[in-house]
Amino acid sequence: MPDLGNPIGSVTESSPSLVRIEINNAEDFETHKAKLGVGQYLLTASGNNLYLLATITAVRASHIDRSRSGAADDGDSGNADSIVFRFQIDTQPIGTLSEEGEFTRGTPALPVPTEYAYVTPPAILSDIFSKQIRSPFSFGTLSVAPDVNFEVDGDRFFSKHVAVVGSTGSGKSCAVAKILQTVVGIQEELNANKAAQKNAHIVIFDIHAEYAAAFKLAETENFALNLLDVDTLRLPYWLMNAQELEEMFIESNELNSHNQVSQFRHAVVRNKCRHNPGVEHLSFDTPVYFSIDEVVTYLENMNAEVIGKQIGEGKPKLANGTLVVDRDVCYFDALQSFVVASTAKDTKASNGPFHGEFDRLILRLRTRLADPRLRFLFYPVKADGTSLVTSDFADVVRQFIGYLTQSNVSIVDLSGIPFEVLSIVVSLISRMIFDFGFHYSKSRHVGGNVSDVPIMVVCEEAHNYVPRSGGAQYDSSRKSIERIAKEGRKYGVTLMVVSQRPSEVSETIFSQCSNFISLRLTNAVDQSYIKSLLPDLSAGVGDLLPNLGQGEFLIVGDAPLMPTVGRFALPVPEPHSRSVNYLQEWNANWREVDFDDVIDRWRGKVFAANV
């Protein structure tokens, strides 16, 4: 244990949540003032062999004494007032330090009044935050002691879910990029692992297209970023489950939505059987190929169907008089022409049970399929130009994990994805990642082994697709991400949830996070919400949230030894979106905008011409 020097004060009040220290000597306070701010650390004697480590939550001048002196005998007013300050420092107990310098979280022995308090030497802080971590992972420096490196337990950090919150401009994206760069071995634009690729798998949902810049290195560094955007992503619709398919095509508020669901399900299942004759026990959720165009054709035929009512008929009747015995034989291939409904005896026929029921459904299906922005979803093709089918399932999953020629980081650029399908895209990818982790873990457990493919899913701007409340359009993504939050850790799949509005993110997801990193939060609702999620966060430390500088953070959870205020170093390279250089453009000379090009891109003509 290093020498603590002279005490600066003594304990006047002690409780499990508050240890109050009084400093009577103003000179001592002035000498150590830089070390006595909110968030700094003090040591207090607690018996003969232990010291209590506590963080300062408040500092105040407890009272002022005024005494008159130097009065003149002749009655002149040549007197002066002297002011004596006594200072009170409120601290929150964190842990205990033994004579050998070993730190333990918790306070088994609180100091009693009259025990001495000391400023914590930097050597002790360095030992606590760097040397006593079982699996150290660099997290920058202490905000209150910039010369002290701050490390957390990497196993506890990456094996559990993490929340990163902060207002716009607080450095949130840089903080996330720095953490991920460190874990994959990027430092100052160099790849520490270029000799041998490591086994980390990180999938980032990037809604603003800003993270690619943080992971693009020189070719000599052997770090080939796996970047998936609307042009390169291949995500076939036939991998969607029941909820995702219905969310995509069915409007639940329509009066006949139950009929739409029943016939859409029937058509999909029958078409799956048609294209996968060797697969048994097919269901609506089975991830095998089916033709969405054939399903639409089937529904159009059902929508126009006319039933022959003459004696011995009772089946759909085509215009040439042919009775349809098996709808699966002809309804998928082409639009059929049916007889006209009639009440005449010789031509008696009536409209089918769903005649005219699916007009809106068919229009919705055709509109979705014709959208050129959704070709990655409805008409994905392989490198040779052929369509993806059931046998390509492994290659679809390999886009995100299990790759051999790409880096450890996959970025799914969501900036070009239409907002109306954003939830479905996030749901489908995250569900595939979870299912992969689940089945891989099970196969490893059969052999008595543990899963050796750790996967972290980073949900940037999570409030956009896993909101706390919202309509049915968020149901699929919320369900998939919440499932990872509740069960993923068992199968090697963890979450990093990033948001500037934590109060708007699903409570279920945040409740499963074991580590919280909060950068500056200016919204009072968000501040209160984060405080409510962090039970060991005192009110004094929580009040720092709106006052944190750019890059400063408060971390609480299983990974750090104690709630800590630290500072990230800037990542190199930094993440960025291609935004306007405002000051430069405000002062630039006027120039004409190429509106034709902008409008073409807006309408999707540029994209449509490339597919």
Side-chain angles (χ1 to χ4, degrees):
M1 172 83 87
D3 181 20
L4 299 180
N6 296 324
I8 60 168
S10 57
V11 175
T12 60
E13 183 179 339
S14 180
S15 71
S17 59
L18 171 67
V19 174
R20 181 164 291 160
I21 297 165
E22 189 164 295
I23 302 175
N24 295 325
N25 189 331
E27 293 182 358
D28 287 343
F29 183 85
E30 190 67 27
T31 301
H32 300 286
K33 185 164 59 176
K35 300 292 185 183
L36 298 178
V38 173
Q40 300 274 4
Y41 299 96
L42 291 182
L43 281 174
T44 305
S46 182
N48 296 326
N49 301 314
L50 294 176
Y51 290 89
L52 174 73
L53 183 70
T55 183
I56 297 175
T57 57
V59 181
R60 67 176 65 88
S62 60
H63 60 269
I64 300 174
D65 288 337
R66 296 177 180 268
S67 60
R68 296 177 61 83
S69 61
D73 292 338
D74 59 2
D76 292 340
S77 58
N79 55 8
D81 289 342
S82 64
I83 304 175
V84 179
F85 289 95
R86 293 184 178 179
F87 300 92
Q88 286 183 337
I89 299 178
D90 291 348
T91 65
Q92 182 190 17
I94 296 175
T96 54
L97 200 66
S98 68
E99 282 285 350
E100 294 75 24
E102 184 177 349
F103 177 80
T104 305
R105 185 78 179 268
T107 54
L110 290 169
V112 298
T114 72
E115 292 276 25
Y116 289 127
Y118 304 85
V119 171
T120 307
I124 290 181
L125 290 177
S126 180
D127 185 68
I128 291 174
F129 288 104
S130 296
K131 298 180 182 178
Q132 297 195 24
I133 306 296
R134 184 180 59 185
S135 53
F137 178 76
S138 177
F139 238 70
T141 60
L142 290 183
S143 184
V144 297
D147 55 336
V148 176
N149 291 327
F150 173 48
E151 295 180 340
V152 301
D153 190 313
D155 282 342
R156 292 184 175 182
F157 185 82
F158 289 102
S159 66
K160 300 180 180 180
H161 306 310
V162 182
V164 182
V165 300
S167 300
T168 300
S170 62
K172 184 171 69 277
S173 298
C174 285
V176 172
K178 184 62 177 177
I179 294 171
L180 301 181
Q181 284 180 353
T182 303
V183 77
V184 299
I186 295 178
Q187 182 72 28
E188 301 294 333
E189 297 189 85
L190 299 177
N191 179 16
N193 300 323
K194 63 181 177 181
Q197 184 174 333
K198 301 303 179 182
N199 199 38
H201 293 75
I202 297 171
V203 180
I204 305 174
F205 290 125
D206 186 2
I207 203 165
H208 295 308
E210 58 184 340
Y211 283 95
F215 296 96
K216 284 185 177 178
L217 305 182
E219 291 184 8
T220 55
E221 296 303 311
N222 295 333
F223 194 93
L225 175 65
N226 187 33
L227 180 59
L228 302 169
D229 58 16
V230 72
D231 295 318
T232 58
L233 181 64
R234 298 293 177 260
L235 203 63
Y237 62 88
W238 45 266
L239 289 177
M240 294 184 191
N241 62 13
Q243 184 176 18
E244 292 158 355
L245 282 169
E246 291 176 12
E247 186 177 312
M248 171 71 78
F249 298 119
I250 308 297
E251 288 289 347
S252 58
N253 58 354
E254 291 182 2
L255 292 177
N256 64 342
S257 60
H258 58 287
N259 288 333
Q260 296 180 20
V261 170
S262 67
Q263 289 307 301
F264 180 69
R265 281 176 170 255
H266 176 78
V268 168
V269 172
R270 297 310 306 158
N271 198 259
K272 285 183 176 182
C273 293
R274 187 184 196 207
H275 288 281
N276 301 273
V279 182
E280 297 181 354
H281 310 297
L282 284 173
S283 70
F284 192 42
D285 279 327
T286 306
V288 294
Y289 173 79
F290 70 93
S291 171
I292 188 65
D293 290 311
E294 292 181 6
V295 168
V296 176
T297 302
Y298 183 97
L299 292 173
E300 288 183 319
N301 284 320
M302 291 295 296
N303 192 56
E305 189 178 68
V306 177
I307 307 297
K309 291 295 184 179
Q310 290 182 288
I311 298 174
E313 293 183 341
K315 291 182 174 61
K317 189 174 183 179
L318 302 181
N320 60 8
T322 303
L323 295 178
V324 177
V325 179
D326 185 356
R327 293 184 175 94
D328 294 356
V329 173
C330 61
Y331 275 21
F332 285 120
D333 292 330
L335 290 177
Q336 305 298 325
S337 178
F338 295 91
V339 297
V340 179
S342 171
T343 57
K345 180 178 179 182
D346 295 336
T347 58
K348 190 173 184 180
S350 63
N351 291 331
F354 303 108
H355 188 94
E357 287 277 304
F358 301 149
D359 289 340
R360 294 174 63 87
L361 172 61
I362 292 168
L363 177 61
R364 194 158 48 245
L365 282 160
R366 289 298 185 193
T367 302
R368 285 274 197 264
L369 297 181
D371 191 338
R373 301 172 301 168
L374 301 180
R375 296 190 69 88
F376 75 94
L377 198 61
F378 295 122
Y379 300 105
V381 294
K382 295 181 284 190
D384 60 4
T386 58
S387 299
L388 289 165
V389 293
T390 303
S391 58
D392 299 312
F393 180 47
D395 291 331
V396 174
V397 179
R398 195 174 282 115
Q399 290 179 100
F400 314 104
I401 46 181
Y403 39 83
L404 299 177
T405 59
Q406 298 294 320
S407 69
N408 304 102
V409 178
S410 290
I411 297 178
V412 183
D413 182 357
L414 301 175
S415 62
I417 305 295
F419 184 76
E420 56 267 27
V421 298
L422 177 64
S423 171
I424 294 171
V425 170
V426 171
S427 172
L428 182 51
I429 296 174
S430 56
R431 183 168 52 80
M432 283 196 297
I433 292 172
F434 176 86
D435 288 342
F436 174 86
F438 174 82
H439 291 292
Y440 182 77
S441 295
K442 291 297 184 183
S443 66
R444 294 283 293 174
H445 294 166
V446 170
N449 301 310
V450 297
S451 177
D452 56 359
V453 179
I455 305 169
M456 172 168 274
V457 179
V458 181
C459 298
E460 173 69 24
E461 302 291 4
H463 53 275
N464 284 305
Y465 42 86
V466 282
R468 187 175 185 178
S469 59
Q473 69 267 31
Y474 301 112
D475 286 348
S476 58
S477 56
R478 189 159 44 211
K479 183 176 181 180
S480 295
I481 300 296
E482 285 181 353
R483 188 184 183 194
I484 294 178
K486 290 184 285 189
E487 305 174 36
R489 195 170 65 86
K490 303 180 185 71
Y491 310 115
V493 182
T494 57
L495 282 175
M496 178 181 283
V497 185
V498 187
S499 177
Q500 58 181 286
R501 290 306 310 273
S503 60
E504 296 181 3
V505 178
S506 166
E507 288 181 290
T508 300
I509 294 173
F510 269 148
S511 67
Q512 298 298 320
C513 291
S514 300
N515 294 287
F516 288 85
I517 302 171
S518 179
L519 291 93
R520 183 178 67 250
L521 280 173
T522 55
N523 185 281
V525 176
D526 292 328
Q527 293 172 27
S528 300
Y529 182 66
I530 289 299
K531 290 178 186 179
S532 69
L533 293 172
L534 309 175
D536 58 353
L537 180 63
S538 69
V541 176
D543 289 339
L544 291 173
L545 292 178
N547 300 316
L548 294 172
Q550 188 170 13
E552 280 191 317
F553 62 90
L554 170 66
I555 181 171
V556 179
D558 295 339
L561 286 176
M562 65 187 80
T564 306
V565 178
R567 181 183 293 275
F568 286 111
L570 283 175
V572 180
E574 293 184 39
H576 64 79
S577 56
R578 295 172 179 83
S579 58
V580 176
N581 186 331
Y582 289 98
L583 185 59
Q584 176 181 324
E585 296 306 323
W586 276 115
N587 292 297
N589 293 328
W590 182 87
R591 52 184 170 269
E592 188 176 357
V593 175
D594 186 352
F595 268 89
D596 290 337
D597 179 66
V598 173
I599 299 302
D600 282 348
R601 290 179 181 274
W602 198 341
R603 290 174 175 170
K605 291 182 180 178
V606 170
F607 178 76
N610 292 331
V611 294

